[in-house]
Amino acid sequence: MAETNIPDQLEEIIDDFQALTEPDRLQLLLEFSRELPALPDRLADHPEMLEQVVECQTPLFLHLELDQDPAGTVRLYFSAPPEAPTTRGFASVLAEGLDGLSATEILAVPDDVADRLGLAQAITPLRMRGMSAMLGRIKRKVTEATAAA
Amino acid sequence: MCGCYVWKFSARIVVRLKGGRTFNRKAVAVPVPAETNEKFAAYAHPERLVSTQWLADHLNDDSLVVVESDEDILLYETGHIPGSVKIDWHTDLNDADTRDYIDGEGFAALMSAKGISRDSTVVIYGDKSNWWAAYALWVFTLFSHSDVRLLDGGRDKWIAESRELTTETTSVTATEYPVVQRNDARIRAFKDDVLAHFGNPLIDVRSPDEYSGARTTMPAYPEEGALRGGHIPSAASVPWGRAAAEDGTFKERAELEQIYHGDAGLKEGDDVVAYCRIGERSSHTWFVLTHLLGFDNVRNYDGSWTEWGNAVRVPIVKGETPGSVPASR
């Protein structure tokens, strides 16, 4: 198992959540859900390019691109319906926390990062599994993409 | 429904609507009449449903409280019916430590915090064809809250009709809700009740793959840890969603009769136990059998597959057929 490390841009988000009381953390997750960037047209017009994360309760689609630079910069694209704000919130946290990092940095993110947001009590451990599943899927896809590159 | 509204609270519920308009709602003990229409009249207990139009017309009724109950814990916050309050199936209705529902004190505290009095007319709506709303209604019934209804078609129909939603916080003045002990016996089954129930009809409301044992959770849902896949011997498979039409409303009585009497073979007067994975989807079926088709003896086995699929020395059946009836224990 490689050494784990939380990248700064993700650490900042975790700190923001940790600084709040639990009800306010839910509010912050809601803010994140509103800020999930829309898909660029080239993906929005081609839903078949997106892969569904089947472990999530509601449809979440994920697409990942590896830049052709030496660092292997990863670009992440998510799509989830407005009636799934919790899923959108998780996706938005991961988008802001991981987008633009290198493949190595993403693979080093600890698997329990979802727990560190401090939301388990407020939204139940059951629902947190969706976010862990998302991170797991991102890592699998990063591994596949780097192996193919 | 009885007309015995003897409680005398006058809780004030202050509702702020978009545009800063504020009005006070004075909840007094005036019964809210049931909706009458042709579709509902065919059901056994038509007073348990209201239509979106009826709700829109009655939103300002004094003793009406609207409750939203969803699968997604943040959905209410993205926009809800003006004046509605939120009840979460997991964080509000389940006990935090014991796998059980909240007790009488907990329910009284919850109702008080939501501005609900013992004589309030409660209309519950939610996402996914009222799946979680039906679960909340079933829990209200455990506490014998007398007037609790579902919004036919739920959240999706309200939105599809472009009706008003707001993100304004509903501010609630606490009520004095009495501590009522939960009455499980009538509508809730435990594992031992199911073992003693063999020979009577069981309805498995999960998806076909969960029923056959091909998988232990709903398609596209996380695995929730059942050791074995399959169903309780002799249970008929009737996925819960069959009771809902395309727009999330309940199907008409004749269609429901075809499904539950025709296909599943239930007979009038049957003693029925319904189950799913944790008891939420089967609450929806419990509502259909009890309030729409008029079965008097329907229990929801909330332990469901997450208990049965893991329990020691209980029989299961794999595959698509119900299997034979084991001796009851």
Side-chain angles (χ1 to χ4, degrees):
Chain A
M1 193 69 206
E3 203 170 311
T4 61
N5 182 51
I6 300 183
D8 289 348
Q9 65 192 64
L10 184 58
E11 184 76 62
E12 232 171 86
I13 298 172
I14 292 170
D15 289 347
D16 286 348
F17 273 95
Q18 288 295 341
L20 299 170
T21 61
E22 291 215 14
D24 287 342
R25 286 177 195 163
L26 271 186
Q27 214 48 46
L28 181 58
L29 190 64
L30 186 64
E31 290 302 315
F32 269 99
S33 79
R34 292 183 177 130
E35 287 161 11
L36 180 67
L39 289 174
D41 290 345
R42 63 188 169 84
L43 290 177
D45 298 340
H46 291 279
E48 75 283 358
M49 289 177 68
L50 300 161
E51 182 188 349
Q52 181 164 13
V53 180
V54 294
E55 294 90 343
C56 292
Q57 296 199 352
T58 36
L60 170 83
F61 293 91
L62 165 67
H63 181 68
L64 181 147
E65 287 169 3
L66 204 57
D67 283 357
Q68 298 303 315
D69 57 358
T73 303
V74 177
R75 298 288 167 193
L76 293 168
Y77 303 94
F78 294 96
S79 171
E83 63 270 20
T86 302
T87 300
R88 285 179 64 87
F90 290 156
S92 181
V93 166
L94 291 174
E96 197 176 313
L98 302 178
D99 185 52
L101 296 176
S102 72
T104 315
E105 286 172 306
I106 290 180
L107 291 174
V109 170
D111 291 332
D112 69 345
V113 78
D115 300 336
R116 303 189 192 203
L117 297 176
L119 284 163
Q121 191 103 30
I123 76 170
T124 77
L126 195 69
R127 286 159 166 150
M128 290 309 299
R129 287 185 204 167
M131 186 169 172
S132 305
M134 264 181 231
L135 177 62
R137 179 56 59 98
I138 291 168
K139 287 184 167 186
R140 279 201 296 280
K141 284 182 73 100
V142 167
T143 307
E144 286 164 20
T146 43
Chain B
M1 295 302 305
C2 76
C4 47
Y5 291 87
V6 292
W7 297 89
K8 283 205 322 190
F9 304 125
S10 60
R12 296 172 70 82
I13 301 172
V14 183
V15 182
R16 286 190 198 84
L17 291 181
K18 263 187 178 150
R21 191 155 53 93
T22 300
F23 65 91
N24 291 332
R25 268 215 229 139
K26 199 172 180 192
V28 290
V30 180
V32 182
E35 175 172 7
T36 49
N37 65 43
E38 204 182 322
K39 178 192 172 190
F40 293 175
Y43 296 136
H45 301 288
E47 73 281 3
R48 293 298 179 180
L49 281 178
V50 304
S51 66
T52 47
Q53 185 58 51
W54 184 96
L55 184 60
D57 293 341
H58 286 78
L59 271 185
N60 295 331
D61 280 16
D62 286 339
S63 45
L64 180 80
V65 180
V66 183
V67 171
E68 175 162 343
S69 224
D70 298 316
E71 176 173 285
D72 192 303
I73 195 165
L74 287 176
L75 191 52
Y76 169 89
E77 279 79 4
T78 66
H80 50 83
I81 295 180
S84 64
V85 293
K86 162 183 161 180
I87 291 185
D88 183 62
W89 67 276
H90 202 143
T91 56
D92 288 326
L93 298 177
N94 279 263
D95 186 272
D97 301 319
T98 308
R99 182 174 173 186
D100 199 0
Y101 299 98
I102 51 177
D103 60 13
E105 283 78 15
F107 189 72
L110 178 67
M111 293 299 97
S112 170
K114 300 298 174 184
I116 297 171
S117 301
R118 188 66 173 162
D119 61 350
S120 294
T121 295
V122 177
V123 171
I124 311 182
Y125 73 100
D127 59 355
K128 310 207 163 177
S129 305
N130 278 329
W131 164 353
W132 302 93
Y135 184 72
L137 183 143
W138 179 76
V139 175
F140 271 68
T141 309
L142 288 174
F143 293 97
S144 313
H145 187 97
S146 68
D147 191 359
V148 55
R149 316 179 188 182
L150 280 186
L151 174 66
D152 197 23
R155 181 182 166 93
D156 288 346
K157 185 155 193 283
W158 183 271
I159 291 174
E161 293 167 350
S162 306
R163 296 183 187 275
E164 188 182 359
L165 290 179
T166 179
T167 52
E168 296 290 321
T169 307
T170 301
S171 78
V172 175
T173 302
T175 53
E176 290 176 49
Y177 197 94
V179 173
V180 181
Q181 290 318 309
R182 222 176 53 218
N183 181 8
D184 288 340
R186 210 169 53 79
I187 61 167
R188 185 180 184 193
F190 296 97
K191 184 172 116 258
D192 287 347
D193 299 327
V194 178
L195 288 167
H197 181 80
F198 284 131
N200 293 295
L202 277 154
I203 304 283
D204 184 318
V205 314
R206 298 172 302 157
S207 57
D209 278 353
E210 291 171 271
Y211 180 83
S212 69
R215 53 180 304 135
T216 52
T217 61
M218 284 171 278
Y221 273 65
E223 292 286 328
E224 276 164 5
L227 284 174
R228 296 170 302 160
H231 55 267
I232 300 178
S234 77
S237 170
V238 187
W240 72 280
R242 287 187 66 193
E246 280 287 303
D247 62 357
T249 57
F250 289 104
K251 286 182 179 162
E252 302 207 356
R253 179 153 189 171
E255 294 173 274
L256 296 176
E257 281 179 350
Q258 177 55 43
I259 294 166
Y260 294 97
H261 290 278
D263 303 346
L266 294 183
K267 287 184 269 318
E268 211 175 314
D270 269 349
D271 178 359
V272 187
V273 169
Y275 72 95
C276 56
R277 182 182 50 109
I278 56 169
E280 14 62 282
R281 285 172 285 177
S282 41
S283 297
H284 191 274
T285 298
W286 171 87
F287 182 90
V288 171
L289 294 177
T290 302
H291 292 314
L292 306 187
L293 291 177
F295 285 88
D296 289 329
N297 296 305
V298 185
R299 284 172 294 165
N300 180 23
Y301 168 39
D302 59 277
S304 279
W305 199 254
T306 51
E307 178 179 51
W308 195 275
N310 289 315
V312 176
R313 299 186 79 184
V314 300
I316 70 162
V317 170
K318 292 179 192 292
E320 287 160 17
T321 53
S324 56
V325 178
S328 75
R329 299 192 218 156

